[in-house]
Amino acid sequence: MKNLDDLLMTRDDIEHSLRVTAARKTQRRVERRLAESLAVATHLANGSALVMWLGDGHEANNFEALVTWVGSTLKQLKLNADRYAIPLLLAELERTLWAWEDQTWQ
């Protein structure tokens, strides 16, 4: 059986956990904003046709799939989540969509 002291988090542990959670929320918010910029630039269609291609299959629509794609692509390309990433993300998204279109027509 666990000791009560083992179950209690120290103040430092709690503060660290809160900082990590806040940083992740900020990262996710910036990823959504980057996805919004990409959606406008590419005239992203409504619907869910790209969910399986851009997302992980659990998103409700194309935009949510794009948000997932942005997050994973930032990590893959080792980019900072800022406005300077937009041109690189846009080029990569265009390559990704062209590859999807090529496979669709074959």
Side-chain angles (χ1 to χ4, degrees):
M1 188 160 151
K2 289 193 174 198
N3 183 332
L4 182 59
D5 291 335
D6 294 337
L7 298 175
L8 296 176
M9 293 178 72
T10 67
R11 178 184 172 133
D12 290 341
D13 293 338
I14 292 169
E15 288 176 351
H16 174 73
S17 177
L18 290 173
R19 279 193 302 275
V20 168
T21 300
R24 181 63 192 132
K25 284 183 180 181
T26 299
Q27 175 79 12
R28 189 70 173 161
R29 188 171 36 252
V30 173
E31 289 170 2
R32 288 187 71 80
R33 289 185 179 150
L34 289 170
E36 288 171 356
S37 296
L38 295 174
V40 169
T42 60
H43 304 286
L44 185 71
N46 291 328
S48 59
L50 298 174
V51 167
M52 295 304 290
W53 191 255
L54 295 179
D56 59 16
H58 297 96
E59 297 85 3
N61 55 50
N62 289 343
F63 178 72
E64 292 300 322
L66 183 59
V67 172
T68 299
W69 180 88
V70 165
S72 64
T73 303
L74 286 170
K75 288 177 192 165
Q76 180 184 15
L77 299 178
K78 295 179 174 92
L79 297 172
N80 291 327
D82 56 28
R83 67 180 181 187
Y84 302 109
I86 293 173
L88 298 169
L89 289 170
L90 184 57
E92 187 64 26
L93 179 59
E94 288 174 347
R95 277 192 290 278
T96 300
L97 293 176
W98 277 106
W100 176 68
E101 189 174 308
D102 285 347
Q103 287 185 5
T104 302
W105 288 102
Q106 291 180 10

